């Protein structure tokens, strides 16, 4: 029995099976709109038909005007080879591309760590060590978290990463903690708003929870942030592309300044106030800043005895965020009906102009479902 294929039939078959279309339309461009002129359309059709005839002739070995069963096998063979080649190239591109990106990132982290002594800002380094003595480079924190949680069965395929940090763009610079962890875990859910408070709220946390893979794990990192400029001033930061020094965190310092204006705290001639912008203190329509002010007000007792008032405010911001994150976790009734384990890392992000950003870890714990039949959580484990 002969399998009869005309040139038109072969055209339909090859188009359906996605053989490399440049074999058909070498040098021709498919019309993109019905508004193309008839002349262009006729020219295209002529070129397309010519290439189609050349392709058909390639497989019509006996020049009978039809393709028999044996000749059809050659068509199928070419389709299979072409498909396999595209699949191999796609996999190879993804693999080597991923390796290249990972290698480039690792090289950057290594160079940053080993060479930073050559370009660090001494006063900024001294202020950081005095106020945040256990701070670690972002890359070291990322690797430490990965190593610890990998041993507990956390993987990118079963874990969804969520972060509650300030929306300031300085916290999303390349090769710093949030981008590093988002790359590591392959996605990131934003829980935080100004100051790092989880303004996504319980509904946002619920949405985050319901995106977790079946019986998967949650990884939450929360932190306020604070800048340190080249003069060692905590709360100040010279941003890339700006000559002037700005505040960081503007929301936290702005809330503190607003409380001073209300005479809620002792007067503080803080230099970081000089770099505040109007929007850092304007509460006309600013529910997030108002929430920060209300949460911070009862926590400032003792600030006058602290060695650095901005560092004091930053630690209080950490406490506020920790309480809110804990409430989201403990007050979500179906938490362990969806997730098998929750890891929570808390600390303070320190933004630096040179030498890389740092993170001071202050808490690292997991909460785990007791068993598949008992959705009640075990007591938190301090890692």
């Amino acid at each position: 029995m002969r399998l009869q294929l005309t040139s038109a039939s072969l055209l339909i078959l090859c188009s359906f099976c996605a053989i490399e279309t440049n074999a058909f339309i070498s040098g021709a461009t498919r019309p993109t709109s019905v508004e193309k002129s008839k002349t262009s359309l006729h020219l295209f059709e002529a070129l397309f038909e010519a290439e189609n005839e050349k392709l058909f002739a390639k497989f019509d070995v006996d020049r009978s005007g039809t393709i028999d069963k044996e000749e059809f096998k050659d068509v199928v063979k070419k389709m299979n080879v072409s498909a396999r080649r595209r699949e191999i190239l796609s996999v190879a591109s993804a693999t080597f591309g991923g390796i290249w990106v990972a290698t480039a990132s690792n090289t950057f982290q290594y160079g940053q760590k080993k060479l930073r002594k050559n370009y660090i800002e001494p006063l900024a380094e001294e202020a950081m060590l005095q106020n945040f003595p256990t701070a670690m480079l972002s890359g070291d924190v990322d690797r430490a978290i990965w190593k610890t949680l990998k041993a507990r069965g956390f993987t990118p395929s079963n874990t969804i990463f969520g972060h509650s940090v300030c929306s300031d763009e300085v916290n999303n610079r390349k090769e710093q903690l949030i981008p590093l962890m988002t790359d590591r875990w392959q996605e990131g859910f934003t829980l935080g708003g100004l100051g790092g408070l989880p303004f996504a709220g319980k509904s946002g946390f619920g949405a985050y929870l319901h995106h977790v893979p079946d019986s998967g794990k949650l990884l939450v990192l929360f932190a306020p942030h604070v800048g340190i400029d080249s003069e060692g001033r905590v709360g100040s930061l010279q941003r890339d592309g700006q000559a002037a020094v700005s505040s960081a965190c503007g929301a936290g310092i702005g809330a503190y300044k607003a409380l001073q204006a209300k005479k809620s705290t002792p007067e503080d001639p803080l230099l970081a106030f000089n770099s505040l912008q109007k929007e850092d203190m304007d509460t006309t329509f600013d529910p997030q800043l108002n929430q920060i002010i209300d949460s911070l007000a009862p926590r400032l007792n003792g600030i006058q005895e602290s060695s650095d008032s901005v560092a004091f405010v930053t630690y209080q911001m950490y406490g506020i965020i920790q309480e809110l994150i804990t409430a989201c976790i403990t007050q979500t009734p179906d938490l362990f009906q969806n997730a098998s384990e929750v890891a929570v890392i808390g600390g303070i992000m320190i933004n630096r102009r040179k030498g890389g950003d740092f993170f001071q870890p202050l808490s690292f714990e997991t909460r785990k479902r007791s068993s598949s039949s008992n959705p009640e959580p075990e007591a938190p484990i301090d890692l």
Side-chain angles (χ1 to χ4, degrees), residues 7-243:
S7 62
S9 301
L10 180 62
L11 171 62
I12 295 171
L13 174 65
C14 292
S15 298
F16 180 76
C17 295
I19 290 182
E20 298 161 322
T21 54
N22 62 342
F24 293 94
I25 55 172
S26 175
T29 303
R30 185 183 300 275
T32 57
S33 170
V34 294
E35 298 175 355
K36 293 288 185 180
S37 67
K38 290 183 178 180
T39 301
S40 298
L41 180 59
H42 291 160
L43 176 61
F44 171 78
E45 290 174 342
L47 289 170
F48 195 84
E49 182 64 26
E51 294 299 332
N52 176 38
E53 292 296 335
K54 287 170 60 177
L55 180 64
F56 182 82
K58 178 179 179 180
F59 291 102
D60 184 18
V61 179
D62 59 9
R63 302 294 185 266
S64 64
T66 59
I67 292 179
D68 59 25
K69 189 173 183 178
E70 292 303 315
E71 291 168 336
F72 183 69
K73 288 181 179 179
D74 290 334
V75 178
V76 174
K77 183 178 179 180
K78 177 174 174 59
M79 287 191 294
N80 289 337
V81 170
S82 180
R84 282 197 296 271
R85 183 170 71 248
R86 286 194 299 272
E87 182 178 357
I88 290 171
L89 288 174
S90 297
V91 172
S93 297
T95 300
F96 288 108
I99 291 173
W100 184 87
V101 171
T103 301
S105 180
N106 290 338
T107 301
F108 177 90
Q109 297 298 328
Y110 178 83
Q112 182 188 64
K113 187 173 183 179
K114 295 300 181 183
L115 301 177
R116 67 182 306 274
K117 63 182 178 182
N118 298 319
Y119 59 91
I120 59 173
E121 300 164 323
L123 295 178
E125 197 81 355
E126 181 181 348
M128 185 180 73
L129 292 175
Q130 179 180 350
N131 293 285
F132 311 102
T134 60
M136 303 165 59
L137 273 169
S138 295
D140 290 341
V141 175
D142 169 53
R143 285 188 291 273
I145 293 171
W146 167 253
K147 183 178 179 181
T148 302
L149 294 182
K150 183 180 179 183
R152 296 184 64 85
F154 284 70
T155 68
S157 62
N158 70 9
T159 303
I160 181 169
F161 170 53
H163 50 83
S164 189
V165 301
C166 184
S167 47
D168 191 325
E169 77 284 349
V170 75
N171 296 321
N172 287 285
R173 293 185 295 185
K174 289 183 179 180
E175 302 298 338
Q176 304 310 328
L177 188 56
I178 297 304
L180 284 174
M181 292 189 65
T182 301
D183 288 344
R184 171 85 70 180
W185 299 96
Q186 299 179 6
E187 58 188 356
F189 191 104
T190 300
L191 296 166
L194 290 180
L197 275 67
F199 283 109
K202 293 180 181 177
S203 59
F205 186 85
Y208 164 58
L209 168 65
H210 294 147
H211 295 173
V212 70
D214 293 342
S215 297
K217 301 172 186 290
L218 300 180
L219 168 56
V220 181
L221 181 138
F222 70 89
H225 76 114
V226 65
I228 303 180
D229 68 11
S230 61
E231 300 299 319
R233 293 174 295 191
V234 179
S236 299
L237 181 68
Q238 188 172 3
R239 299 170 187 268
D240 293 339
Q242 290 188 345

